[in-house]
Amino acid sequence: MTSDRAKVEQKVLEYENFINEVLKKDLQKVLEQRDEVYEKISQYLQLKNIIERLQESESEELKMQVDLGCNFYVEAKVPETSKIFVAVGYGFFVELTLPEAIRFIEKKTKQLTEHSEKLTKDSAKIKANVRMVLEGLRELQGLHDLPDHK
C-alpha cells in the first residue's frame, strides 16, 4: 500500500513538473508572441491613420519631430510627402506611394490579425491541456472538485 502511494506521489510530481516546466512556459511564449503581433498591428494602424491625414491635408511638405532614441527628438522637414518608406519585415523598407502604402497596410494587418487568431487558438489549446493534466492529478489524488481558474 505504501509503495502504491509513493508511486502516485511520484506521478503527481511528474505531472506538476510537466505543467510548470512545459505547458506554462509554452503558454507564456505563445502569449508573448501574440502581444508582439498586436503591437505590430497597432503600429501599422497608426501609420495608416497618419497616411490618411496626409492625404486629407494635401500638403506637399511636412514638419515633424523624430525620436532618435532615449526620448531625444530632432525636428525634421519632409520636403515631399507623395511617397513614404514602409518597413515590410526582416529590416527591409519599400518606397510606396500613399495609396500603395494603405493597400499594403490593409493586407499586412489582415495577415497579422489571422496570425494573432491562430496564436489565441494555440493558447486556448495549451490552457485546455493544463486543465486536462490538472484533472488527471485530481483523479490520481482522489480529490473531487477542481476549482475553476479563469
Side-chain angles (χ1 to χ4, degrees), residues 18-29:
F18 179 71
I19 289 172
N20 292 325
E21 297 300 319
V22 177
L23 293 178
K24 286 190 178 180
K25 286 182 180 180
D26 287 350
L27 179 62
Q28 181 67 29
K29 193 183 320 178

Side-chain angles (χ1 to χ4, degrees), residues 84-148:
I84 61 169
F85 285 92
V86 178
V88 293
Y90 299 106
F92 290 100
F93 292 82
V94 176
E95 185 178 24
L96 300 171
T97 63
L98 299 181
E100 289 172 337
I102 287 180
R103 282 193 304 275
F104 170 79
I105 291 168
E106 287 170 350
K107 288 180 183 178
K108 188 69 173 177
T109 53
K110 182 180 178 208
Q111 175 206 13
L112 289 170
T113 300
E114 289 170 358
H115 186 59
S116 71
E117 289 169 356
K118 180 192 174 300
L119 291 171
T120 298
K121 288 178 183 176
D122 290 348
S123 71
K125 287 178 185 176
I126 294 170
K127 288 177 184 177
N129 288 338
V130 168
R131 182 82 175 168
M132 185 177 64
V133 172
L134 288 173
E135 184 70 25
L137 283 174
R138 184 187 65 80
E139 288 179 16
L140 273 176
Q141 293 174 320
L143 301 175
H144 297 292
D145 289 327
L146 190 63
D148 287 330

Side-chain angles (χ1 to χ4, degrees), residues 56-85:
E56 289 171 4
S57 72
E58 297 180 4
S59 67
E60 294 184 17
E61 191 175 281
L62 177 67
K63 286 185 180 180
M64 60 189 307
Q65 288 190 344
V66 178
D67 187 0
L68 297 176
C70 297
N71 289 326
F72 286 102
Y73 290 88
V74 64
E75 191 164 303
K77 182 179 177 183
V78 180
E80 203 254 309
T81 61
S82 66
K83 293 185 179 182
I84 61 169
F85 285 92

Side-chain angles (χ1 to χ4, degrees), residues 5-19 133 136-138 140-141:
R5 189 73 191 147
K7 287 180 185 177
V8 168
E9 289 300 320
Q10 180 62 32
K11 280 292 182 195
V12 166
L13 289 175
E14 288 175 17
Y15 283 133
E16 287 176 347
N17 189 46
F18 179 71
I19 289 172
V133 172
L137 283 174
R138 184 187 65 80
L140 273 176
Q141 293 174 320

Side-chain angles (χ1 to χ4, degrees), residues 19-58:
I19 289 172
N20 292 325
E21 297 300 319
V22 177
L23 293 178
K24 286 190 178 180
K25 286 182 180 180
D26 287 350
L27 179 62
Q28 181 67 29
K29 193 183 320 178
V30 167
L31 293 176
E32 286 172 2
Q33 288 173 346
R34 188 182 66 178
D35 289 345
E36 289 172 11
V37 170
Y38 284 155
E39 179 64 29
K40 287 179 184 178
I41 290 171
S42 172
Q43 290 171 354
Y44 276 115
L45 292 176
Q46 186 178 16
L47 177 60
K48 181 181 176 186
N49 189 14
I50 291 169
I51 292 170
E52 288 171 345
R53 280 192 278 150
L54 273 174
Q55 287 177 321
E56 289 171 4
S57 72
E58 297 180 4

